[in-house]
Amino acid sequence: MAGQIFLYNGRIYTGDSKKPWVSALLIEDQYISAIGESHEFSPSISRDSITVDLEGRIVLPGLCDCHIHVSDWAKKITQLNLGDSSSRDEAVQMIRNEYKGQEWLLGWGWNANAWDEYLMPRASDLNFLSSHTKAIFINKDYHTAWVNYPVFDLMDTRILMKNIQNGRVPLDTSGKPLGIVKEDALNELISPIIRKMESPVFHEPEKIFNELFKQGITTVHAVEEYDNFIKYQNLYQDPSKRGPRFRSYIYWDDYKSVESMMMSSGGGGSWFEFLGMKIFLDGSLGSRSAAMRFDYTDATAQSFLKYSQEELDGILSKANRNHWDMMVHVIGDAALEQIFNSLDKYDGKCRLEHVQYIPEDLLNRTLWRNLAICINPSHLPGDIHLAEKIWGKDNCSHAYNYRDLWSTGANVIIGSDAPVETVNPWKAVHAAVFRYPEKEEKSWYPEQSLTIDECIDALTIHPSLAAGKEHLVGKLLPGMLADMIVISEDPFETEDFLSIETLMTIIDGRIVYSVL
């Protein structure tokens, strides 16, 4: 029989409460045809089958990264990483070392909050570059860009002046742009420049997607620009170029293109699907611009709420008319309250992203059971000290309160938010379970931890429920698509999640990665 793969002599976690563990599993073509104990399968196995002796290893359903910017993450692989810089001067030196006279110099990952002294970088710091060189360096949370003066020459003057007036492009003491472009201005001024630079994923899909397979990622919920969405759609027409199952949200800035194509959410196939539209309601903790209902304790921070209540209602009304489900970026409690106040006017499915601050009055709202909530625990270790500094320690009992969130009955799912963080899902699991600050091993509000079982659900069956694909993927049961991974250690027994490695990844009944 063609297309058989037989996995045996292992510990296979099915995700099914009635029969959570088996030792063997048979794949025929792209589907799981049977599960059970190894000795039960001998008559069913074809001579031509691929047989894999698991030698007691663990098999899990394939993992879903529920929030990833695939195109930007692929670019990050080839750009200058400033994430290890400990000061503004060190970041500048790293740029000097990289500069070879090129026309474009692109990088990412700088984090002024982690520097020895909180100092915003400046365009003048880059004056050693040629006047012909354009330099753009996106910060860690992708809400702020540091650029040199020649980049301003490429911007629409009218839009630039508007953002200078509203403070999104600050000026230095001489009245020149400081070199910082943040929040809305990033989308309006920087995105039109860099979106012309095609992501390497479209030139080397096998190389880029293999990096996801190495992490056990078999499905992604991607956030993309419309033009890139169309490129992925074309790419996935060729089965040999496919990566993980690709379900995508498109940025609201491109809603006119989506509207003109009369696209509606859902109804896609098992490989590729348009899920809905993505909007931002506020800024971020790292850029000190999350919308909070209390005053920041640091003068460098300021709440940023992108829309008025009326404007948000208008967006959701348009989404209703077009049958679009919505992904909503929410960091602070002011943004969370705003979306809650609008949801009774919205008929589609809504999922909230990040949701890093939930005070008790909002936890008690009745809307949670209708929502998918995507958390990004990998942010937590690096955010703890900053949250205490700019939100105030007394307020932080409501920050990253995952246990409270889980208790609401919402469908909690986990995403990496790559390229902001690494795509390694076990880093997210480690952070959600232990809640350690970076370089420390003392849990921060340990009562808000998740269990390993909950984390596995948030990476497997919960994402399938969020996308309406629970009948296809998320568990290892007969009749479901054969998406699964073999890993090096048992996550239900070990506490060393960061040492877990993917040994084999199977998608659609095909081995796409293996070191066995």
Side-chain angles (χ1 to χ4, degrees):
M1 186 180 296
Q4 275 197 350
I5 301 177
F6 180 50
L7 306 178
Y8 68 100
N9 190 24
R11 295 193 67 228
I12 299 172
Y13 178 69
T14 67
D16 181 51
S17 59
K18 296 177 182 177
K19 194 174 186 178
W21 294 97
V22 295
S23 63
L25 178 150
L26 181 62
I27 299 168
E28 296 187 84
D29 297 323
Q30 70 264 48
Y31 293 100
I32 300 168
S33 63
I35 61 174
E37 302 311 314
S38 300
H39 66 271
E40 300 172 345
F41 281 85
S42 297
S44 310
I45 307 306
S46 163
R47 227 179 257 179
D48 299 324
S49 294
I50 297 172
T51 59
V52 180
D53 183 352
L54 295 168
E55 299 179 344
R57 296 186 180 97
I58 298 293
V59 178
L60 297 178
L63 307 182
C64 178
D65 189 330
C66 295
H67 188 120
I68 178 172
H69 308 263
V70 177
S71 300
D72 288 336
W73 170 73
K75 287 179 182 178
K76 171 180 173 179
I77 296 172
T78 62
Q79 293 176 358
L80 176 60
N81 179 1
L82 298 174
D84 292 333
S85 58
S86 60
S87 66
R88 184 172 65 186
D89 288 346
E90 185 175 2
V92 171
Q93 187 58 51
M94 292 169 73
I95 296 167
R96 283 183 179 274
N97 296 342
E98 181 73 11
Y99 182 52
K100 303 294 187 295
Q102 54 266 55
E103 181 182 359
W104 284 96
L105 195 55
L106 305 174
W108 58 276
W110 61 271
N111 182 7
N113 297 301
W115 287 346
D116 297 339
E117 182 180 3
Y118 181 79
L119 293 170
M120 293 304 288
R122 304 159 300 190
S124 59
D125 295 323
L126 304 174
N127 282 345
F128 63 88
L129 301 175
S130 162
S131 60
H132 301 293
T133 295
K134 276 76 71 177
I136 301 174
F137 305 103
I138 308 295
N139 79 330
K140 184 179 187 294
D141 66 13
Y142 273 65
H143 281 250
T144 304
W146 168 23
V147 304
N148 68 340
Y149 292 124
V151 172
F152 287 101
D153 296 334
L154 303 178
M155 297 176 182
D156 182 301
T157 303
R158 180 182 57 83
I159 298 175
L160 174 60
M161 292 306 299
K162 180 193 75 171
N163 281 286
I164 288 174
Q165 291 168 3
N166 66 25
R168 307 296 173 216
V169 178
L171 304 178
D172 63 20
T173 54
S174 70
K176 294 177 66 176
L178 181 67
I180 292 297
V181 180
K182 56 186 180 180
E183 303 303 348
D184 280 0
L186 192 66
N187 296 326
E188 295 177 359
L189 297 170
I190 301 299
S191 291
I193 297 172
I194 61 178
R195 74 165 50 184
K196 299 173 184 177
M197 304 171 187
E198 190 165 76
S199 173
V201 69
F202 301 115
H203 303 296
E204 301 179 287
E206 183 177 355
K207 175 183 176 182
I208 300 300
F209 290 144
N210 194 58
E211 294 301 312
L212 295 175
F213 299 154
K214 284 181 182 179
Q215 301 295 339
I217 305 299
T218 59
T219 300
V220 295
H221 293 179
V223 188
E224 296 289 339
E225 296 168 349
Y226 173 79
D227 290 346
N228 283 338
F229 174 86
I230 297 300
K231 290 176 183 178
Y232 284 111
Q233 190 174 47
N234 293 333
L235 184 71
Y236 271 60
Q237 298 300 313
D238 183 345
S240 69
K241 294 182 178 178
R242 290 173 182 165
R245 299 188 190 277
F246 200 95
R247 316 196 194 288
S248 183
Y249 289 87
I250 296 175
Y251 289 111
W252 186 258
D253 287 349
D254 292 333
Y255 80 85
K256 289 182 180 178
S257 297
V258 177
E259 200 169 38
S260 69
M261 296 300 292
M262 294 184 288
M263 295 165 58
S264 59
S265 295
S270 64
W271 274 104
F272 192 88
E273 184 175 18
F274 167 62
L275 290 180
M277 304 298 292
K278 160 75 180 291
I279 61 171
F280 291 84
L281 291 194
D282 63 343
S284 70
L285 176 68
S287 288
R288 305 180 179 216
S289 53
M292 310 306 296
R293 297 188 299 180
F294 55 80
D295 292 333
Y296 279 91
T297 59
D298 191 285
T300 64
Q302 183 177 11
S303 285
F304 165 66
L305 201 57
K306 183 176 176 68
Y307 302 110
S308 68
Q309 197 74 53
E310 183 179 1
E311 288 171 329
L312 178 57
D313 289 347
I315 288 171
L316 295 182
S317 176
K318 182 181 288 290
N320 269 333
R321 293 195 301 272
N322 287 284
H323 306 288
W324 295 334
D325 294 337
M326 295 297 291
M327 170 190 275
V328 183
H329 167 108
V330 171
I331 301 291
D333 59 340
L336 181 59
E337 183 177 47
Q338 186 185 51
I339 187 62
F340 276 178
N341 291 341
S342 287
L343 281 179
D344 61 348
K345 308 176 185 73
Y346 177 62
D347 299 326
K349 287 198 299 186
C350 183
R351 56 179 273 185
L352 308 183
E353 308 300 297
H354 316 304
V355 194
Q356 292 176 352
Y357 195 89
I358 317 173
E360 190 169 347
D361 66 310
L362 297 181
L363 279 170
N364 292 331
R365 298 287 287 264
T366 59
L367 296 163
W368 292 102
R369 287 185 177 275
N370 301 321
L371 299 173
I373 309 295
C374 183
I375 60 173
N376 315 110
S378 294
H379 292 321
L380 177 59
D383 282 356
I384 289 173
H385 293 310
L386 178 61
E388 291 184 339
K389 178 180 179 181
I390 67 176
W391 286 347
K393 287 187 177 182
D394 292 343
N395 291 318
C396 282
S397 61
H398 300 302
Y400 304 84
N401 40 343
Y402 298 150
R403 171 56 50 206
D404 290 342
L405 176 58
W406 195 279
S407 299
T408 65
N411 180 23
V412 179
I413 56 182
I414 289 177
S416 67
D417 200 14
V420 178
E421 292 287 350
T422 172
V423 294
N424 182 357
W426 300 108
K427 180 180 179 183
V429 170
H430 186 273
V433 172
F434 292 112
R435 298 177 63 89
Y436 291 158
E438 280 185 347
K439 301 177 183 177
E440 297 180 29
E441 292 191 2
K442 182 179 180 181
S443 185
W444 192 64
Y445 295 102
E447 68 276 10
Q448 295 295 342
S449 295
L450 297 181
T451 67
I452 180 58
D453 302 71
E454 290 166 341
C455 290
I456 297 297
D457 284 349
L459 288 162
T460 55
I461 189 58
H462 284 198
S464 297
L465 287 164
K469 302 297 183 187
E470 66 273 17
H471 59 295
L472 290 177
V473 293
K475 294 184 178 182
L476 300 181
L477 296 174
M480 300 187 79
L481 291 168
D483 292 5
M484 64 199 73
I485 60 173
V486 182
I487 56 177
S488 60
E489 297 182 49
D490 185 346
F492 300 100
E493 297 293 334
T494 185
E495 291 188 348
D496 189 9
F497 301 123
L498 297 177
S499 70
I500 295 176
E501 297 180 356
T502 302
L503 304 178
M504 179 181 286
T505 302
I506 298 174
I507 303 180
D508 216 44
R510 186 170 65 92
I511 298 172
V512 295
Y513 171 78
S514 179
V515 292
L516 288 178

